[in-house]
């Protein structure tokens, strides 16, 4: 299923997009579930990270679509963002916030379907599981493909990603269960009781250390055998999930 958010204050434009999504789903045998938001604040408040695509109007009340997109990127780095606007000159700026495309009003179904087919194909072939984390302030969604390793420090679990570090109150076991539920657990292995490592980012093993990116993490004696077995399987399958 493709989950879509439509952020549009005009009823006619929102209904038009919704009908196009339904038509596209029927024609392409793709299940699409759309949810409409009348303003950007409604989307951002309590954002759950469940959406695959966000169609964002630029001219919105209270907070315009461009500013909302910047806020959205702070909490969800991987959602596919598409601007829908009658101001093409401003939509081009959308690439600064990682928008993959823009659609100029009035929207024709032909143009819409071409763009949506490309987006859906990409999501279905490169879909990335996401974790919704509750750090001290608000919530952030991180793609598992960008998560290097998880570290526990007393009662704080630190998620180390390519985009920064995100501290969350909890336990490593809880983080491990959450990751396995989203990714099947094949890419992540413990190297000791403090670290849960994404094998995709392992570049070397030296003595009692595993090199993850540009960092050294200790491999404990108790975990070394299983860690090396899983790592060898991973690289033996060409870096595929084991």
């Amino acid at each position: 299923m493709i989950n879509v958010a439509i952020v549009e204050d005009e009823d006619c434009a929102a209904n038009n997009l919704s009908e196009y999504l339904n038509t596209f789903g029927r024609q392409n045998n793709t299940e699409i579930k759309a949810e409409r938001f009348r303003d950007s604040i409604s989307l951002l408040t309590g954002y759950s990270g469940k959406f695959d695509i966000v169609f964002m109007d630029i001219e919105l009340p209270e907070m315009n679509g461009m500013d909302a997109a910047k806020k959205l990127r702070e909490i969800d780095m991987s959602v596919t963002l598409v601007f829908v606007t009658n101001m093409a000159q401003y939509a081009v700026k959308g690439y600064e916030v990682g928008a993959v495309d823009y659609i100029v009003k009035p929207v024709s179904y032909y143009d819409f379907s071409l763009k949506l087919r490309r987006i859906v194909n990409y999501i279905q072939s490169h879909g990335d599981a996401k974790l919704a984390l509750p750090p001290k302030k608000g919530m952030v969604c991180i793609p598992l493909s960008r998560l290097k390793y998880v570290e526990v420090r007393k009662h704080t679990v630190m998620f180390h990603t390519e985009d920064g570090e995100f501290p969350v109150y909890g336990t490593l076991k809880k983080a491990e269960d959450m990751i396995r539920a989203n990714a099947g657990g094949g890419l992540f292995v413990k190297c000791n009781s403090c670290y849960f490592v994404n094998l995709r980012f392992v570049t070397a093993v030296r003595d009692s250390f595993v090199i993850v990116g540009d960092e050294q993490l200790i491999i404990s004696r108790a975990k070394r055998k299983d860690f090396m077995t899983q790592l060898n399987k991973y690289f033996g399958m060409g870096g595929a999930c084991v």
Side-chain angles (χ1 to χ4, degrees):
M1 176 187 290
I2 304 294
N3 287 300
V4 178
I6 299 173
V7 189
E8 172 62 70
D9 59 326
E10 297 179 1
D11 290 339
C12 182
N15 292 336
N16 197 35
L17 285 176
S18 182
E19 291 176 5
Y20 284 176
L21 287 168
N22 289 334
T23 300
F24 181 92
R26 290 194 303 270
Q27 293 180 347
N28 295 272
N29 195 29
T30 301
E31 187 176 1
I32 299 176
K33 182 178 181 181
E35 185 174 348
R36 189 261 182 107
F37 298 86
R38 294 182 179 275
D39 56 71
S40 55
I41 294 177
S42 298
L43 170 73
L44 296 172
T45 302
Y47 184 81
S48 65
K50 68 179 180 180
F51 296 111
D52 301 296
I53 307 171
V54 173
F55 287 99
M56 179 84 74
D57 186 21
I58 289 183
E59 294 182 286
L60 291 169
E62 299 187 59
M63 181 187 296
N64 66 57
M66 197 65 67
D67 290 340
K70 294 176 182 177
K71 294 288 186 182
L72 179 61
R73 279 293 175 242
E74 292 177 3
I75 56 177
D76 193 337
M77 294 161 279
S78 63
V79 66
T80 299
L81 179 62
V82 181
F83 282 113
V84 183
T85 180
N86 53 19
M87 302 185 298
Q89 67 272 27
Y90 295 110
V92 175
K93 294 183 179 180
Y95 297 115
E96 297 175 5
V97 290
V100 300
D101 212 333
Y102 66 92
I103 300 173
V104 179
K105 297 178 181 178
V107 182
S108 73
Y109 178 72
Y110 178 76
D111 290 338
F112 177 85
S113 63
L114 289 178
K115 292 176 183 288
L116 184 59
R117 181 173 293 107
R118 178 175 60 83
I119 292 169
V120 169
N121 287 342
Y122 178 84
I123 290 174
Q124 291 178 336
S125 60
H126 298 85
D128 191 3
K130 294 186 289 186
L131 293 180
L133 304 180
K136 293 182 179 180
K137 294 183 179 180
M139 191 275 295
V140 63
C141 296
I142 62 171
L144 279 177
S145 64
R146 301 182 68 81
L147 176 60
K148 296 188 292 185
Y149 68 97
V150 183
E151 174 188 10
V152 63
R153 302 174 184 173
K154 294 185 178 180
H155 299 296
T156 299
V157 178
M158 188 71 70
F159 289 78
H160 297 264
T161 79
E162 292 183 291
D163 305 290
E165 299 177 350
F166 301 92
V168 176
Y169 180 83
T171 65
L172 187 62
K173 178 62 167 61
K174 185 175 181 180
E176 182 180 348
D177 290 343
M178 182 167 54
I179 290 171
R180 293 193 187 283
N182 282 274
L187 292 176
F188 291 82
V189 182
K190 279 185 178 179
C191 64
N192 64 39
S193 60
C194 297
Y195 301 113
F196 195 43
V197 177
N198 188 344
L199 299 182
R200 291 181 58 186
F201 290 94
V202 174
T203 56
V205 176
R206 298 171 185 162
D207 299 324
S208 298
F209 297 94
V210 55
I211 312 302
V212 182
D214 57 358
E215 300 178 71
Q216 286 191 149
L217 308 181
I218 296 175
I219 304 176
S220 68
R221 289 186 178 181
K223 299 293 184 182
R224 184 178 180 85
K225 181 178 180 181
D226 180 64
F227 183 83
M228 294 305 299
T229 297
Q230 296 300 324
L231 184 64
N232 288 332
K233 285 183 179 179
Y234 173 73
F235 284 113
M237 296 180 69
C241 182
V242 296

